[in-house]
Amino acid sequence: MSQSQSQRLPEPVTGPMPRSAVPQTGQFQAQPATPSVERWRLQVVHRTKFSYAGPVRSSYNEARMTPENTTRQTTLRSRVEVEPAATMHAYRDYWGSTVTAFDLHGPHRELAVVATSVVEAGPEPEQAAVVSWEALGDADVVDRFGEMLRPTRLTAMDAPVVRAARDVVGDADPREAGHRISRFVHDHMQYLSGSTNVKTNAMQAWTSGKGVCQDMAHVSVGLLRALGIPARYVSGYLHPKPGAPIGEAVRGESHAWVEWWDGSWTGYDPTNVVEIGTRHVTLGRGRDYKDVPPLKGIFSGPRSEGHSVVVEVTRLA
C-alpha cells in the first residue's frame, strides 16, 4: 500500500520526539543585509511524527524545511534529523528550494522528522522602482515570468471574481495593486483552521468565504496572475507575536504568503495584512503549495494512523 505523506499541518500536539541526528548545514552564502534594517534572530524547531498501524517496509521522503539565504534573510544554522536514522542528501530543486531527501528500508512503526534552524530575518532592504502596466505586458517580461503568470489547478479564479478584483485595483500602479488585492482577499475570507485541506483550490475557498493561510495565498496569487502581474506562492514560518520578548519559546506556525513582481519581488502576507519582515522565515517558493510542501513522501506497508506537527519559534535577538 502506498500513500502520500504530504498533508495540511494539523493542530500541534506536545510530547517528546526522538532526535537521532542526521546533520545538514546551511550550505549557501548569503549577501550581507543593510545594517539599518531591523532584523530578528529566530530559532525554528519543526517536529513532524507519523505513526503506522504496523511495521512499514520502506519509506521515501522529501523535506523542504531548510530556510533560504537572501538579502532579507540569513540562515545561520540548519539541521534536519530523522528517526529511524536514514541516509540523507540535499539538493536545490527547480524552484530554488533546498530539499533534504531520505529513504528508509528497514521495518518501522513511526517516522519522526525534526528540522531546527536559526535565521536572521527582516524586511527587504531595498526595492527597485515600480514598473508600469505596459512594462508588465512586454513580451520579454511575459516570457521571463511565464510560469508565474499562468493559472494552476490550485490558483485559477473565475472571471466574475477577476472583474471584481479589477474594480478594486482601479488606477493603482502594479505595486499598489498587489497590496489592494491582498487586502481584498483578507476582507472577503475568514481565517478558519480545518475548513479546507491541501486539495482545496482557490475558487472553492473563495466561494466558501473561509480558509487558512494557504488558501488566502492561492487566491491572491490567482488574482494577481489574472491581472497580468507575475506572482508566486511562498512557504515558510511566522512568529505569532509582533512584540515577542527575547528567549520565550512559543507555538509558531507553518505559514504561506505571496510575492508579486512589479520591478522587483514584493512580499505581502494577506492572512495578517502585513508586509514581510522580522517575523517571517522563508523556506521556498513555487507556483502553488504543491511545489513547496514542507514534507512529502510515500511508504509501503500498513496504513497510516495519522501524524502530528509541532512548530516552536523562539526570538533569540
Side-chain angles (χ1 to χ4, degrees):
M1 173 178 172
S2 179
Q3 180 178 329
S4 173
Q5 294 181 173
S6 174
Q7 303 178 36
R8 178 180 301 278
L9 303 180
E11 290 299 313
V13 298
T14 58
M17 294 289 292
R19 300 287 300 270
S20 176
V22 182
Q24 178 182 328
T25 59
Q27 57 273 66
F28 306 110
Q29 182 65 40
Q31 300 180 30
T34 303
S36 61
V37 175
E38 181 188 10
R39 288 160 72 87
W40 283 11
R41 181 171 295 184
L42 298 172
Q43 176 178 278
V44 181
V45 183
H46 184 160
R47 299 182 175 94
T48 306
K49 183 177 181 179
F50 290 91
S51 299
Y52 308 102
V56 167
R57 294 184 294 276
S58 59
S59 176
Y60 302 83
N61 306 274
E62 293 180 352
R64 287 170 173 80
M65 297 180 177
T66 301
E68 67 174 9
N69 278 308
T70 64
T71 53
R72 188 192 78 79
Q73 174 179 297
T74 303
T75 299
L76 302 176
R77 295 190 298 276
S78 185
R79 183 182 182 91
V80 176
E81 302 165 292
V82 175
E83 179 65 33
T87 300
M88 308 168 73
H89 70 278
Y91 65 93
R92 287 270 193 125
D93 69 10
Y94 177 80
W95 306 107
S97 303
T98 299
V99 181
T100 303
F102 61 94
D103 52 84
L104 301 167
H105 298 285
H108 56 284
R109 291 176 175 268
E110 295 182 339
L111 170 63
V113 181
V114 181
T116 305
S117 300
V118 176
V119 176
E120 286 188 351
E124 193 65 49
E126 59 183 35
Q127 284 185 291
V130 61
V131 300
S132 66
W133 289 101
E134 291 76 16
L136 286 180
D138 184 82
D140 289 341
V141 173
V142 172
D143 180 65
R144 176 183 174 190
F145 297 111
E147 291 171 310
M148 299 303 169
L149 282 167
R150 289 190 288 271
T152 67
R153 189 190 65 80
L154 290 177
T155 63
M157 298 296 293
D158 289 353
V161 187
V162 175
R163 287 195 294 270
R166 290 188 188 278
D167 291 340
V168 167
V169 167
D171 60 358
D173 64 35
R175 184 164 296 166
E176 175 58 24
H179 288 96
R180 292 188 185 184
I181 290 297
S182 297
R183 292 192 292 268
F184 175 57
V185 172
H186 176 271
D187 291 345
H188 177 84
M189 296 182 66
Q190 174 192 5
Y191 183 93
L192 185 61
S193 179
S195 58
T196 56
N197 58 58
V198 294
K199 296 182 179 180
T200 302
N201 64 43
M203 271 309 303
Q204 289 170 332
W206 177 266
T207 301
S208 71
K210 54 185 178 291
V212 294
C213 58
Q214 173 182 298
D215 304 297
M216 295 189 188
H218 279 154
V219 173
S220 299
V221 165
L223 291 176
L224 288 164
R225 290 175 181 168
L227 296 180
I229 302 175
R232 56 194 186 188
Y233 179 99
V234 187
S235 170
Y237 303 109
L238 174 71
H239 194 303
K241 295 186 176 182
I246 293 174
E248 179 187 14
V250 299
R251 179 176 293 182
E253 301 176 12
S254 276
H255 199 49
W257 57 93
V258 63
E259 291 178 346
W260 63 84
W261 193 85
D262 52 30
S264 57
W265 287 104
T266 298
Y268 198 79
D269 182 346
T271 303
N272 297 291
V273 285
V274 295
E275 305 282 350
I276 304 306
T278 56
R279 296 189 294 135
H280 294 83
V281 174
T282 302
L283 289 175
R285 302 173 176 83
R287 295 163 299 180
D288 55 36
Y289 171 84
K290 290 174 65 177
D291 288 334
V292 286
L295 183 63
K296 70 176 182 180
I298 58 174
F299 64 91
S300 176
R303 64 179 175 83
S304 170
E305 293 189 329
H307 75 290
S308 61
V309 175
V310 176
V311 177
E312 182 183 88
V313 185
T314 306
R315 182 183 177 189
L316 302 179

